Amino acid sequence: MANVKKEGSSNLGGLFSGIVIVASIGVGIIAWKFIMGMGSNFEGGVNTGAPLKDNYMAMIYKGGFIVPVLMGLLLMVVVFSFERYFVITKAAGKGSLDAFMKNVQTNIKAGNIDEAISACDKQQGSVANAIRSALVKYQDVKKEGFNSEEAAETIHKEIEEATSLEMPMLEQHMTILSTLVSLGTLAGLLGTVTGMIKAFAGLAGGGGAESAELANGISEALINTATGIATSALAIIAYNFFTSKIDSLTYAIDEAGTTIVNTYRHFRGSLKQ
């Protein structure tokens, strides 16, 4: 059952990723060609002319064929960032995660397991689900009378299984975000190189027309550099932010698991006295 759930989630995640990647590149190409490349943005009414003064869309259009790719990569970062934000926020549950953890730990230490389970039901989300599974297992081992070490192993195994079901959903698409960090830089560098090639080709020709080609080539190089840096910077911020959030959720589950195990040890120790 767990494998079916993982496989289904993976297939849906892969389909979503494919749609976002193709759509983002498509939107980038359309925006570059039909919006930024509109004749009204250029002198003479055609996109082969010089950009109108202070018309930044025309300037970006002159960045060349790498620009729509970079725009697509930037759009991917934005879309995957929003998607991860909603998923991770949902995983934390309905209320404050800190308040929930304090409430659950207080109930566990006091031996109010039913109240802790009720709090998990109200909180919902991946963290609450994993903790609830551990609490239910706690009640089971308590009824069966396991010793402390047997209970610890059983509860830890339950937490690991519950986490293995919940956490992969949180880590989906994080690899894509980390890849976009490198792709943004590399694509921007490629645009920079092609722009500089055009610039030096114009410089080698000499004359007024070639000087214009030099200026256009340098402009293309700088536009691609700026877009690539912006894409990579945003991807780095998003990746580190969501990684930190996932680590916090994982720590919350581990902390609750440790509290449950220690509570059971205390319970078994009180019986022996």
Side-chain angles (χ1 to χ4, degrees):
M1 186 71 179
N3 290 333
V4 171
K5 184 176 179 181
K6 286 183 183 179
E7 186 176 343
S9 177
S10 177
N11 290 337
L12 289 175
L15 178 62
F16 175 79
S17 301
I19 292 173
V20 170
I21 291 171
V22 173
S24 295
I25 296 296
V27 170
I29 293 173
I30 292 172
W32 176 74
K33 187 173 183 179
F34 296 105
I35 298 178
M36 297 177 180
M38 288 177 59
S40 58
N41 294 328
F42 302 86
E43 294 178 358
V46 291
N47 56 25
T48 54
L52 294 174
K53 186 177 180 181
D54 296 330
N55 192 310
Y56 293 102
M57 287 197 296
M59 293 179 187
I60 294 175
Y61 176 82
K62 288 297 183 178
F65 68 95
I66 300 295
V67 170
V69 176
L70 286 167
M71 290 175 62
L73 295 177
L74 182 58
L75 184 57
M76 285 180 216
V77 173
V78 173
V79 172
F80 283 119
S81 294
F82 274 108
E83 186 266 346
R84 285 295 86 195
Y85 175 79
F86 287 122
V87 169
I88 292 175
T89 300
K90 184 178 179 181
K94 293 183 176 180
S96 168
L97 183 60
D98 290 337
F100 164 71
M101 289 302 301
K102 289 179 181 178
N103 182 26
V104 166
Q105 295 222 22
T106 299
N107 284 322
I108 292 172
K109 290 176 181 177
N112 302 322
I113 304 303
D114 289 333
E115 291 185 20
I117 292 176
S118 178
C120 291
D121 291 336
K122 292 178 182 178
Q123 180 74 7
Q124 299 182 4
S126 297
V127 175
N129 290 341
I131 295 174
R132 189 186 190 283
S133 297
L135 291 171
V136 171
K137 181 59 65 175
Y138 171 91
Q139 289 184 320
D140 291 341
V141 298
K142 188 175 179 180
K143 290 177 182 177
E144 295 173 13
F146 288 180
N147 65 39
S148 298
E149 295 310 314
E150 287 176 335
E153 183 178 347
T154 303
I155 294 172
H156 277 144
K157 185 177 180 181
E158 182 66 23
I159 292 174
E160 288 175 359
E161 290 179 355
T163 304
S164 69
L165 290 176
E166 301 291 345
M167 290 300 109
M169 178 184 66
L170 301 181
E171 295 172 350
Q172 259 187 352
H173 306 142
M174 292 298 292
T175 303
I176 295 177
L177 278 176
S178 65
T179 302
L180 288 171
V181 173
S182 300
L183 284 181
T185 302
L186 292 174
L189 181 60
L190 177 61
T192 302
V193 171
T194 56
M196 294 307 295
I197 290 174
K198 291 181 181 179
F200 284 113
L203 182 62
E210 285 74 11
S211 297
E213 290 183 14
L214 171 64
N216 289 335
I218 294 175
S219 176
E220 176 179 333
L222 294 177
I223 288 170
N224 285 301
T225 301
T227 309
I229 290 173
T231 301
S232 295
L234 183 59
I236 289 172
I237 293 171
Y239 179 81
N240 289 335
F241 175 77
F242 294 127
T243 298
S244 175
K245 288 290 185 181
I246 293 171
D247 289 343
S248 296
L249 297 181
T250 304
Y251 175 76
I253 295 173
D254 292 340
E255 185 181 21
T258 301
T259 302
I260 295 170
V261 171
N262 290 338
T263 300
Y264 186 82
R265 284 174 175 160
H266 178 74
F267 166 75
R268 292 298 297 172
S270 65
L271 293 180
K272 295 177 181 179
Q273 293 177 357

